[in-house]
């Protein structure tokens, strides 16, 4: 039940995570706007599974380098050391 709840509410309040999860449909300019809109609050945000937008984007079958470059620009380097629920 916990896993189902986590999956069903995973992206509530996490628009950047959602955009990275659905990277194939995400426009660079939309991601930039979402990052600017969230401001500093985006820096400490992980989803229900402890994943950052980097985890989601890089888990894709074909990670988008253009979106990755945007994330690298807007997040501090230490975010790359975050571990998700799987370690």
């Amino acid at each position: 039940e916990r896993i189902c709840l986590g999956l069903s509410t995973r992206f509530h309040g996490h628009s950047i995570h959602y955009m990275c999860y659905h990277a194939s449909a995400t426009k660079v300019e939309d991601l930039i706007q979402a990052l600017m809109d969230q401001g500093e609050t985006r820096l400490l945000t992980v989803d229900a599974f402890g994943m950052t937008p980097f985890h989601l984007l890089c888990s894709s079958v074909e990670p988008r380098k253009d979106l990755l470059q945007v994330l690298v620009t807007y997040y501090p380097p230490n975010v790359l050391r975050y571990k998700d629920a799987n370690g």
Side-chain angles (χ1 to χ4, degrees):
E1 185 175 314
R2 182 174 171 248
I3 292 173
C4 289
L5 179 61
L7 288 171
S8 67
T9 61
R10 182 175 191 175
F11 300 123
H12 289 176
H14 302 293
S15 61
I16 296 168
H17 288 69
Y18 181 87
M19 295 172 101
C20 290
Y21 186 80
H22 297 284
S24 63
T26 298
K27 296 178 184 176
V28 170
E29 57 271 13
D30 292 340
L31 180 59
I32 291 171
Q33 186 62 54
L35 287 160
M36 290 176 24
D37 290 347
Q38 286 194 8
E40 297 294 316
T41 61
R42 73 180 175 278
L43 299 179
L44 300 175
T45 305
V46 294
D47 69 9
F49 298 100
M51 296 180 93
T52 68
F54 288 95
H55 288 116
L56 296 166
L57 185 61
C58 293
S59 296
S60 172
V61 174
E62 292 184 30
R64 297 232 341 243
K65 293 177 187 174
D66 55 345
L67 298 181
L68 182 58
Q69 184 59 49
V70 170
L71 292 180
V72 167
T73 301
Y74 282 85
Y75 283 87
N78 67 317
V79 173
L80 297 174
R81 293 190 195 107
Y82 285 17
K83 293 184 179 185
D84 66 11
N86 296 314

